Amino acid sequence: MTQTFKQRFWKFGRWFIGLFFLMLIFRLIYGYVATDVKSGNDYSNNFFSSVGNLRKNYASEKQMMKQDVAQQANIASSQKYEKTATVVSKTSQFEKDLDSIKKITANFEGVIQYEQNTGNKGNRQIQLLIGINPEKFDSFYTKIQNIALVKSTEITKIDKTNEYRQLNARKASLEKNLASLNELKSRSGAIGDYVTLHDKILEIETQMQELGVELGNFDTENEFCSVRFSLYEGAPEKKISFASRMKVALEWTIKYYAVLTITLLGLAVTIFILLLIVDKLKLLKLIAEK
């Protein structure tokens, strides 16, 4: 009888012991996951996507293309592309690191094309759009990652060759139309037709000016790659030791395990009493029937 009781007690107790360790492991894993998610979501690298009218930087590189199979001759074709690096960093030495990024930019002959400062001391942030010579882009990108604590990095490269060719084709079409209209302008005609023609010429000239601004971004003398650098001020993050995580997980487990155990025991006692009442009612019913 004693052996049977011990076996039942051990079988019943194993479930409670297993539940305790399951809750402990769950809380320990949650501590690691929650910390990683929090640190990953502190800063957003999408700031510049919400800012309009930013300078567009384009660069070009030579590609060798075959002109004719029969001739087997190679000619150089210029590929236009937009290359952008995004670096998000956190620092507890805001002024020092800000000074460093500006000195590095000057050393690499970069151009700060956009700057925004926000926040009060202790919670400041700065957003910089920096134009860098394509040949110095990789070195500059590597160098600025040594500033502060890097939270995220990203590089994107988009081919803009077709867009550049379309702009040139549109320019050639507008120039042809403008030449034709100017030729008509030299002929005699009604004053109303002359005014309409003048307005049309003015419209095309305006379109050509706007087109010239877009094409100006592709000029070889204005070739840059873009670096979007975000610097956030904040206290340095302390690495949490395993012992600290285990202590927190153990405290949480003991607290909620006690609550869960009491709840389960209370539920079991309630069910037992209800079953006992039901059983008594059945017994009374049987007695009444007799």
Side-chain angles (χ1 to χ4, degrees):
M1 184 69 181
T2 306
Q3 184 66 28
T4 304
F5 174 76
K6 287 183 178 179
Q7 290 176 350
R8 290 180 178 177
F9 179 80
W10 172 242
K11 184 177 180 180
F12 186 71
R14 280 187 301 179
W15 288 100
F16 282 88
I17 295 173
L19 179 62
F20 179 86
F21 281 103
L22 185 63
M23 291 177 65
L24 178 64
I25 294 171
F26 167 78
R27 183 59 181 83
L28 193 61
I29 294 174
Y30 174 79
Y32 281 100
V33 175
T35 302
D36 292 341
V37 171
K38 182 179 179 182
S39 60
N41 292 337
D42 279 344
Y43 309 101
S44 170
N45 57 4
N46 294 324
F47 169 83
F48 288 96
S49 62
S50 62
V51 180
N53 300 323
L54 285 176
R55 168 66 187 270
K56 296 291 185 180
N57 292 315
Y58 303 108
S60 61
E61 59 185 12
K62 298 296 182 180
Q63 287 186 327
M64 301 306 295
M65 300 178 62
K66 291 185 178 180
Q67 184 181 19
D68 193 333
V69 177
Q71 296 178 355
Q72 293 294 316
N74 293 331
I75 60 172
S77 176
S78 179
Q79 179 198 21
K80 299 293 183 178
Y81 65 92
E82 181 182 14
K83 192 172 185 180
T84 305
T86 303
V87 179
V88 181
S89 298
K90 179 182 178 182
T91 180
S92 58
Q93 299 176 319
F94 187 82
E95 294 178 356
K96 177 183 177 182
D97 288 330
L98 177 57
D99 185 58
S100 296
I101 183 64
K102 290 189 174 182
K103 285 182 178 179
I104 293 174
T105 301
N107 291 337
F108 278 82
E109 298 179 342
V111 179
I112 297 178
Q113 300 168 326
Y114 176 86
E115 179 176 344
Q116 184 189 83
N117 291 276
T118 57
N120 298 320
K121 189 171 183 179
N123 190 33
R124 291 172 290 183
Q125 56 181 269
I126 186 169
Q127 315 290 340
L128 297 174
L129 174 64
I130 305 170
I132 294 293
N133 186 289
E135 297 179 355
K136 301 177 181 179
F137 175 82
D138 292 333
S139 299
F140 180 80
Y141 175 68
T142 302
K143 187 74 173 179
I144 61 175
Q145 292 185 59
N146 296 324
I147 299 175
L149 176 64
V150 177
K151 306 297 292 186
S152 66
T153 58
E154 181 183 10
I155 292 182
T156 58
K157 184 178 180 180
I158 304 173
D159 183 74
K160 292 289 183 177
T161 307
N162 289 336
E163 181 178 331
Y164 177 65
R165 290 172 180 171
Q166 289 173 4
L167 290 174
N168 278 314
R170 184 183 170 194
K171 178 183 178 182
S173 178
L174 288 174
E175 288 176 342
K176 187 180 293 186
N177 289 339
L178 184 61
S180 299
L181 292 174
N182 283 325
E183 183 180 351
L184 291 174
K185 186 179 177 181
S186 61
R187 301 177 184 179
S188 60
I191 187 66
D193 293 338
Y194 183 81
V195 172
T196 302
L197 183 63
H198 177 76
D199 292 340
K200 188 64 177 177
I201 291 174
L202 184 61
E203 179 184 347
I204 292 179
E205 288 178 344
T206 302
Q207 292 179 15
M208 290 187 63
Q209 289 176 359
E210 295 174 351
L211 190 62
V213 174
E214 293 184 59
L215 283 170
N217 293 329
F218 288 93
D219 288 345
T220 54
E221 61 182 11
N222 297 326
E223 286 188 349
F224 286 114
C225 290
S226 302
V227 177
R228 297 172 174 179
F229 185 80
S230 300
L231 184 65
Y232 295 87
E233 185 178 21
E237 298 177 357
K238 296 181 180 179
K239 187 176 181 180
I240 304 175
S241 65
F242 177 79
S244 298
R245 293 182 185 274
M246 178 59 75
K247 179 177 178 293
V248 173
L250 191 59
E251 291 174 350
W252 181 91
T253 304
I254 292 173
K255 177 182 176 181
Y256 288 98
Y257 178 78
V259 174
L260 182 61
T261 303
I262 293 172
T263 303
L264 291 175
L265 288 176
L267 183 62
V269 171
T270 302
I271 294 173
F272 176 77
I273 293 174
L274 290 174
L275 291 174
L276 186 62
I277 292 172
V278 172
D279 188 61
K280 289 293 184 181
L281 291 174
K282 287 182 179 179
L283 182 62
L284 291 173
K285 185 177 180 182
L286 289 174
I287 294 172
E289 289 178 352
K290 290 180 178 181

